[in-house]
Amino acid sequence: MSDEFKEFYYHPQFDHDDHHRRSNSGGGAAAFPNSGNTLHNNMQMFDPSYLSFSEFLTGPTAQNPFPGPFDSSSVSSGSNEGKKEAKETLENEEYHESYKKDDKSKKKGADKKKQRQQQFAFMTKSEVDHLEDGYKWRKYGQKAVKNNAYPRSYYKCTTQQCSVKKRVERSFENPSIVVTTYEGQHNHHVPEAPRGRLAAGMFAPSMISSPFGPSEGPNSFPQELLGQMTHPYSYGGDEGTSNVTDPQTNGSSPRQQYNQFPDYGLLQDITSPAFPR
DNA sequence: CGGCTTTGACCCGCGC
DNA sequence: GCGCGGGTCAAAGCCG
């Protein structure tokens, strides 16, 4: 219960034109190429230049693709209650959000114009695949991915006007690691805490109002997640050495630092977020 | 009964 | 041009 710290890595969802790097030369494939070391190549850290994660996201998203190279700092999100798993550092997991549809309007008959949307991926150490983030999701598919014994699940936000999707899959090497990729942006506020917990407090509008206005924010990242990250990303100066702040050992109560995170049992496990393209 | 999950099929883009 | 792999749809089943 004290080792609950998460490392936030953000890594760009390389999407360029290189979408489908599917089987990077017969190996890599989708999410976790067993390479087990390329992670650092693709993961980037929160840039200190940004006051907050939100800003961080906004910046690069708006103009520069990515602020900086992978650094090495981590964040701790005071997960109390010790929900289920212990957090640890991921270092050899690579997550590649290859970007698939550029504009492909697949599907039969349905003319869905697929245009790339902002994506945000992060790794979470959790026993459950589907982390509750306050929004309601409907699973619309599941697929076995290559080089990964674990299937990838596809979810859509059930809110009508919202077309946010997310993919969830487990790391092949570390089954305890769940990689969640959000795509698109919620154009609404967090529903009435479907599960009754976190949603309400943790996604208080005040926290997500900034650059990520749920109403029409230019961003598409999980506001809830941002909420957590905003502060955690203190990024003191000795990043790389110390995991930012560990609420629990930091002396201050987690609740304080993370504002209203009553008892969220979902994103608390975030291990390493990727980065919105 | 309504909503969600499951699962097989279909479609599409990319690499060879 | 073909095959592979990934993403989505939609019908059926399950559960609350």
Side-chain angles (χ1 to χ4, degrees):
Chain A
M1 296 229 207
S2 30
D3 55 340
E4 332 203 30
F5 63 82
K6 303 127 195 242
E7 292 213 344
F8 285 107
Y9 298 92
Y10 87 69
H11 85 76
Q13 305 283 308
F14 293 116
D15 130 47
H16 316 308
D17 263 4
D18 174 8
H19 10 259
H20 295 201
R21 44 198 347 159
R22 37 173 108 271
S23 36
N24 319 320
S25 24
F32 300 97
N34 317 327
S35 309
N37 70 346
T38 42
L39 176 123
H40 291 183
N41 296 328
N42 299 304
M43 291 275 207
Q44 295 193 2
M45 292 305 296
F46 177 52
D47 190 308
S49 333
Y50 297 91
L51 298 180
S52 67
F53 186 64
S54 304
E55 207 173 307
F56 161 66
L57 291 174
T58 309
T61 301
Q63 311 190 346
N64 278 331
F66 313 111
F70 175 81
D71 201 339
S72 69
S73 71
S74 41
V75 174
S76 52
S77 48
S79 49
N80 11 27
E81 331 302 14
K83 233 24 181 145
K84 32 206 119 204
E85 53 292 304
K87 290 55 192 174
E88 5 183 275
T89 306
L90 297 179
E91 290 195 273
N92 46 5
E93 289 298 339
E94 171 185 10
Y95 181 58
H96 252 134
E97 240 337 308
S98 26
Y99 268 20
K100 30 155 202 215
K101 58 245 183 146
D102 241 329
D103 173 301
K104 55 171 85 176
S105 48
K106 49 185 74 178
K107 278 329 83 357
K108 33 203 161 176
D111 63 311
K112 50 201 73 185
K113 44 179 155 197
K114 294 288 177 184
Q115 50 183 56
R116 294 177 288 189
Q117 302 213 356
Q118 296 174 322
Q119 300 193 351
F120 181 95
F122 59 87
M123 295 183 192
T124 304
K125 185 149 197 205
S126 174
E127 293 178 1
V128 296
D129 291 353
H130 191 195
L131 301 175
E132 296 182 29
D133 53 13
Y135 290 96
K136 289 190 65 176
W137 302 91
R138 167 179 287 184
K139 188 175 184 177
Y140 67 90
Q142 179 172 303
K143 263 283 222 183
V145 293
K146 191 158 183 170
N147 293 321
N148 191 335
Y150 303 92
R152 176 181 297 166
S153 297
Y154 301 87
Y155 297 88
K156 279 182 181 176
C157 181
T158 58
T159 301
Q160 297 228 320
Q161 68 258 43
C162 185
S163 59
V164 177
K165 296 176 195 170
K166 79 172 180 181
R167 290 187 289 280
V168 178
E169 63 186 272
R170 282 187 177 283
S171 167
F172 175 64
E173 292 189 340
N174 297 306
S176 59
I177 303 294
V178 176
V179 179
T180 304
T181 303
Y182 287 87
E183 182 177 321
Q185 64 180 74
H186 291 285
N187 51 15
H188 57 95
H189 285 275
V190 178
E192 300 289 316
R195 275 75 174 184
R197 31 196 209 174
L198 63 152
M202 132 179 226
F203 307 135
S206 57
M207 292 183 69
I208 57 181
S209 57
S210 302
F212 304 100
S215 306
E216 52 181 3
N219 293 314
S220 61
F221 317 117
Q223 290 93 6
E224 60 277 24
L225 180 56
L226 294 176
Q228 283 189 71
M229 301 171 132
T230 301
H231 281 284
Y233 271 108
S234 315
Y235 220 84
D238 50 292
E239 76 283 22
T241 52
S242 61
N243 295 341
V244 186
T245 54
D246 184 337
Q248 309 233 329
T249 60
N250 196 18
S252 45
S253 73
R255 261 59 176 245
Q256 276 191 310
Q257 276 205 343
Y258 299 77
N259 296 320
Q260 42 270 48
F261 294 166
D263 176 354
Y264 58 89
L266 39 159
L267 295 175
Q268 62 171 16
D269 304 314
I270 292 174
T271 314
S272 60
F275 181 69
R277 344 157 344 224

